[in-house]
Amino acid sequence: MTGGAGFIGSHVTAALLDKHDVTVLDNVDRPGLPPAAPLRRADVRDLAAVRDALRGVDAVVHQAALVGLGTGPGDLPEYVGCNDLGTAVLLTAMADAGITRLVLASSMVVYGEGAYECDRHGPVRPAPRDPADLAAGRFEPGCPVCGEPLRPGTVGEDTPVDPRNVYAATKVAQEHLAAAWARECGASVAALRYHNVYGPRMPRDTPYSGVAAIFRSALERREAPPVYEDGRQRRDFVHVDDVAAANVAALTAGPGFRAYNIASGRPITVGAMAAALADAFDGPQPVITGRFRLGDVRHVVASPDRAAAELGFRAAVDPATGLREFACAPLRA
């Protein structure tokens, strides 16, 4: 397990320990790491340390990454270094060790804007949203041909990737590196495209946190959760326990490179999610700010059918129940 001491990684480590011997490679020791998993303190970009950690290993679950939108272009070197160089180093060490099974933590951000259809032109891919439109409160993307409103749909794994921010670009690069490695080494890669993950031990409000943690942190300060745009953007929030179960299931994936959406299959608007957290926390109701971030996309909703058919995985935690529990779950500093 790389990144096995982090938010998602520690939950995946715990799930794997039910069936496997697990060694964790992480550059920091974080609360939540199960004591039964030996920890090797090292950076995934350290080839010698990675090679040493892979001795006696049959499969790798690769969670180590820098996540979120970050603070701006100054984060570029660290994102590319952690996510892409780190993956390249790991793949090199796995090839040297003859290890041919990898579960890769990817993300729904690889899709950019989700699936859309125009009444006149059928399925279309919207252009990046215009800052002037966003500033004027026009958040819905229009048809790139006629400009008319679009109907958002469901994204399948065969949808072409279209990264719209730096983090997304690094996740696409990770997938491409892993796919090339799988072809050259006759290996198996299951790329798990996580949707919006939430749950206990999520990091608190930082530029690298998910929106669920940002809202929870605001509620703990007795502040209204700040919802960007108009709150009507649709996402799929998937509980971290389901993500952990998906990683365990993905160890049985077949040969070659294969991507899987890891989602609840029950989408919700960001505004509704913030309101559900506020109600469960008995805190201030969300405030619709109208603010926006250029790297954000409008709607991304996934089809979870491939993971169900090929991995036997379906999310078990209903978002209504999971979000209610998350409202009182501990966060990590």
Side-chain angles (χ1 to χ4, degrees):
M1 271 288 305
T2 72
F7 161 50
I8 295 176
S10 62
H11 288 271
V12 176
T13 299
L16 288 169
L17 282 168
D18 287 340
K19 297 182 179 180
H20 305 280
D21 294 325
V22 182
T23 296
V24 170
L25 177 76
D26 207 313
N27 60 354
V28 279
D29 187 3
R30 298 188 181 119
L33 179 66
L39 173 65
R40 292 175 178 265
R41 292 284 297 276
D43 194 297
V44 74
R45 291 168 286 189
D46 183 339
L47 180 58
V50 174
R51 280 176 168 155
D52 187 55
L54 291 179
R55 297 181 190 279
V57 166
D58 299 309
V60 174
V61 179
H62 183 31
Q63 304 288 324
L66 189 62
V67 302
L69 287 184
T71 59
D75 285 334
L76 263 165
E78 191 67 9
Y79 269 97
V80 173
C82 288
N83 298 358
D84 300 337
L85 176 59
T87 298
V89 169
L90 174 65
L91 294 174
T92 295
M94 289 178 68
D96 292 344
I99 302 168
T100 58
R101 183 166 294 277
L102 174 68
V103 178
L104 173 67
S106 188
S107 171
M108 57 87 174
V109 296
V110 301
Y111 297 120
E113 286 289 348
Y116 290 86
E117 189 163 339
C118 173
D119 288 337
R120 292 176 58 191
H121 298 100
V124 294
R125 181 165 291 266
R129 295 187 292 171
D130 188 328
D133 286 338
L134 297 173
R138 295 187 293 269
F139 301 120
E140 295 288 347
C143 175
V145 181
C146 66
E148 291 298 307
L150 298 173
R151 286 180 285 106
T154 302
V155 176
E157 289 88 348
D158 293 330
T159 301
V161 296
D162 185 20
R164 300 282 173 107
N165 57 58
V166 169
Y167 172 58
T170 66
K171 300 309 284 186
V172 170
Q174 282 185 296
E175 288 196 8
H176 287 172
L177 289 167
W181 171 81
R183 286 192 297 271
E184 293 178 13
C185 298
S188 167
V189 177
L192 305 185
R193 291 174 175 169
Y194 303 157
H195 285 250
N196 292 73
V197 185
Y198 70 96
R201 301 196 301 276
M202 200 172 188
R204 293 184 184 275
D205 188 359
T206 78
Y208 308 96
S209 296
V211 67
I214 291 172
F215 293 163
R216 258 296 310 280
S217 298
L219 289 166
E220 287 191 354
R221 298 190 300 267
R222 308 306 298 180
E223 297 174 1
V227 178
Y228 278 21
E229 300 186 17
D230 59 4
R232 296 176 184 172
Q233 56 272 46
R234 295 167 71 235
R235 297 290 189 272
D236 189 307
F237 291 89
V238 58
H239 196 277
V240 70
D241 287 347
D242 283 325
V243 171
N247 275 269
V248 176
L251 286 171
T252 65
F257 177 93
R258 194 74 163 155
Y260 298 93
N261 286 322
I262 303 303
S264 74
R266 287 158 280 193
I268 187 174
T269 67
V270 172
M273 186 274 284
L277 282 179
D279 289 343
F281 193 86
D282 195 22
Q285 285 299 302
V287 172
I288 306 299
T289 68
R291 296 174 60 192
F292 60 89
R293 298 185 299 182
L294 288 178
D296 279 337
V297 296
R298 183 61 175 171
H299 304 293
V300 186
V301 174
S303 167
D305 292 345
R306 178 183 289 181
E310 297 183 12
L311 303 180
F313 167 78
R314 278 201 183 275
V317 180
D318 180 80
T321 302
L323 289 168
R324 186 166 55 249
E325 294 173 351
F326 175 62
C328 301
L331 299 180
R332 195 188 72 221

